[in-house]
Amino acid sequence: MRITDITLTPVAFADPPLLNVMGVHEPFALRGILRMRCEDGVAGLGESYGDRAFLDQVRRVLPRLVGHDVFDLPGLRRLVVEELGGSVLTDEHGLIGGYSMRKTVASVYALFEVACLDAQGHAVGRPVADLLGGRARDAVEFSAYLFYKYGAHRGAPEDSWGPVLTPEALVDSARQMVGEYGFRSLKLKGGVFEPDQEIEAIHALAGAFPGHPLRLDPNAAWTPETAVRVAGELQEVLEYLEDPTPGIGGMAQVAARTPVPLATNMCVVDLGNVEPAFRARAIGVLLSDHHFWGGLRATQALSVTCESFGIGLSMHSNSHLGISLAAMVHVAAATPHLTYACDTHWPWKTEDVIVPGALEFREGAVAVPDGPGLGVEIDEDALARLHENYRRCGLTKRDDTMYMRQYVEDFIPHTARW
């Protein structure tokens, strides 16, 4: 079944002023929506990053795909490798580790692979999870993703969450999120305030939500010594501590001195990082992400590697829409070795490009859609509206640091600051 036409539509959707080690989210998050049309009226959808550098790499490959068989995934990867050659993207916002040719190819290929699998599912009348080997679970559990945040973007009215800058406000936002979505585990994006304030916040969450597993992710804001101290003070309440300090070497130092499992999506970001990290015993949990690990099948291969070496597996999230969530649900459902609830930014968005109703959170989990392919379809009006957002907002890349300087003039990223 060959591809007859393929389009890429950049979109922008409203994003709250969420704080992290690099700064604060801008008013819009960017994504790229791929629509693949094939013979016999079959179509496939994909979603990935929306910054211009990434979209430019995707556009280089698009002309090569017309006429390609959507069932030939090895051939698809060869096309991507041939076209991109030595291209290397950069990690513009500094939160998912460095880039390499391998990671660039994996990221671009992943977008096309998801669309091909969606098209395959429609062609044979089966969900993508079935194409990946069948369901290990019927619903995929997610964790509440808590952020410190400002109450409003510059010059805008306060949003529905309001400011979240204290442990008390953080607990209130967690109650709001848990009440609406039923999450049974909680993750805090840290690295924003001094470690003692974030320790206090985790203890406040533990007191307010007894029995809920807790995670803290400071995005490498601490030195190894500080990371060891924080882990010691929180070892009774943390499920895992994510990327407390930069690099495999730093993580190994911390891991050797704490019983708290260390997780990462920053120091192990492609297969070249796996051997040195596992040999150094630097991590206990790997956060996969099909957007930059090379797609859904590569995510499953990664899970087998983790299981073989006794490493836990969860799933990283960035600001995303419904096509990405559907892909995450299908691959997580078809991956037996998924040992922790997955991350998602879903509660922070107010707009989408898919027809509502296909993906619903119940008790913190999303059931695998039963329809063919990913089980979601484009809302044409919504896609047009979010594309117009993209055209009007003027953003072409994510830059948390520069936007933060509108709030704090002399702001510098907090990596390894404390």
Side-chain angles (χ1 to χ4, degrees):
M1 187 174 65
R2 300 194 179 277
I3 299 167
T4 58
D5 183 50
I6 189 164
T7 59
L8 178 67
T9 305
V11 299
F13 62 98
D15 202 14
L18 307 177
L19 293 160
N20 59 61
V21 70
M22 299 302 294
V24 63
H25 288 206
E26 294 172 279
F28 288 95
L30 308 178
R31 299 296 275 179
I33 305 301
L34 189 80
R35 292 208 281 184
M36 182 181 287
R37 294 177 176 84
C38 309
E39 297 168 326
D40 301 323
V42 172
L45 299 175
E47 175 194 333
S48 192
Y49 312 115
D51 58 281
R52 184 167 59 192
F54 178 77
L55 297 178
D56 285 348
Q57 298 299 323
V58 172
R59 291 186 181 107
R60 285 177 57 183
V61 183
L62 292 183
R64 300 284 304 274
L65 298 187
V66 175
H68 188 76
D69 186 344
V70 295
F71 286 90
D72 180 12
L73 296 180
L76 172 64
R77 185 175 181 85
R78 285 194 297 272
L79 287 179
V80 174
V81 171
E82 288 170 6
E83 188 60 42
L84 296 188
S87 298
V88 178
L89 294 168
T90 58
D91 175 12
E92 294 284 359
H93 51 77
L95 298 175
I96 55 173
Y99 263 86
S100 62
M101 178 187 170
R102 172 186 280 166
K103 194 173 175 186
T104 298
V105 167
S107 298
V108 173
Y109 168 79
L111 172 60
F112 298 134
E113 186 223 47
V114 169
C116 283
L117 288 170
D118 187 32
Q120 290 178 24
H122 282 282
V124 301
R126 301 298 292 266
V128 164
D130 289 357
L131 303 181
L132 298 175
R135 303 179 189 184
R137 54 189 63 82
D138 292 323
V140 175
E141 188 172 358
F142 289 86
S143 176
Y145 207 155
L146 307 174
F147 279 79
Y148 293 109
K149 63 180 292 293
Y150 293 135
H153 286 287
R154 299 278 292 182
E158 188 170 288
D159 62 40
S160 61
W161 296 91
V164 181
L165 301 170
T166 66
E168 295 77 18
L170 185 67
V171 168
D172 287 343
S173 71
R175 286 198 178 102
Q176 181 178 345
M177 199 174 285
V178 170
E180 183 171 352
Y181 296 93
F183 293 118
R184 295 181 290 188
S185 60
L186 310 173
K187 171 177 171 175
L188 171 62
K189 177 67 77 177
V192 175
F193 298 112
E194 293 187 0
D196 287 341
Q197 183 171 336
E198 297 184 353
I199 290 171
E200 182 184 356
I202 291 294
H203 281 303
L205 290 169
F209 298 92
H212 281 58
L214 303 178
R215 311 162 183 183
L216 174 59
D217 174 19
N219 279 128
W222 308 332
T223 64
E225 287 298 322
T226 297
V228 170
R229 178 177 72 82
V230 175
E233 296 198 33
L234 294 176
Q235 67 181 28
E236 299 301 322
V237 296
L238 279 185
E239 181 181 36
Y240 61 67
L241 179 60
E242 181 181 338
D243 285 308
T245 198
I248 291 172
M251 291 281 281
Q253 291 180 48
V254 178
R257 297 167 60 189
T258 177
V260 178
L262 300 189
T264 188
N265 71 272
M266 294 181 69
C267 71
V268 182
V269 295
D270 65 35
L271 291 172
N273 304 138
V274 168
E275 187 272 339
F278 286 14
R279 188 177 295 278
R281 301 185 184 276
I283 65 169
V285 183
L286 183 56
L287 289 104
S288 63
D289 187 326
H290 74 270
H291 299 92
F292 65 75
W293 273 98
L296 306 189
R297 293 188 183 277
T299 299
Q300 289 186 298
L302 180 65
S303 78
V304 173
T305 302
C306 288
E307 185 175 18
S308 300
F309 287 90
I311 302 297
L313 186 71
S314 186
M315 191 174 291
H316 165 260
S317 168
N318 210 323
S319 299
H320 63 83
L321 295 168
I323 300 170
S324 279
L325 180 63
M328 292 164 68
V329 168
H330 280 279
V331 70
T335 302
H337 183 65
L338 191 75
T339 44
Y340 297 88
C342 303
D343 292 347
T344 180
H345 284 62
W346 187 264
W348 295 108
K349 71 173 188 58
T350 57
E351 307 171 274
D352 211 327
V353 295
I354 63 170
V355 175
L359 305 168
E360 295 183 354
F361 282 83
R362 296 181 179 176
E363 297 184 352
V366 178
V368 182
D370 289 322
L374 293 174
V376 298
E377 59 180 300
I378 286 287
D379 181 326
E380 298 291 349
D381 291 340
L383 179 66
R385 185 169 59 252
L386 268 60
H387 177 60
E388 184 65 13
N389 285 350
Y390 178 87
R391 193 184 68 81
R392 290 185 175 183
C393 77
L395 298 176
T396 59
K397 67 177 183 178
R398 176 176 169 179
D399 194 335
D400 295 4
T401 299
M402 290 303 295
Y403 186 54
M404 183 66 165
R405 288 175 183 159
Q406 296 186 30
Y407 294 88
V408 182
E409 187 175 348
D410 59 350
F411 176 81
I412 57 172
H414 293 165
T415 303
R417 174 176 179 178
W418 289 292

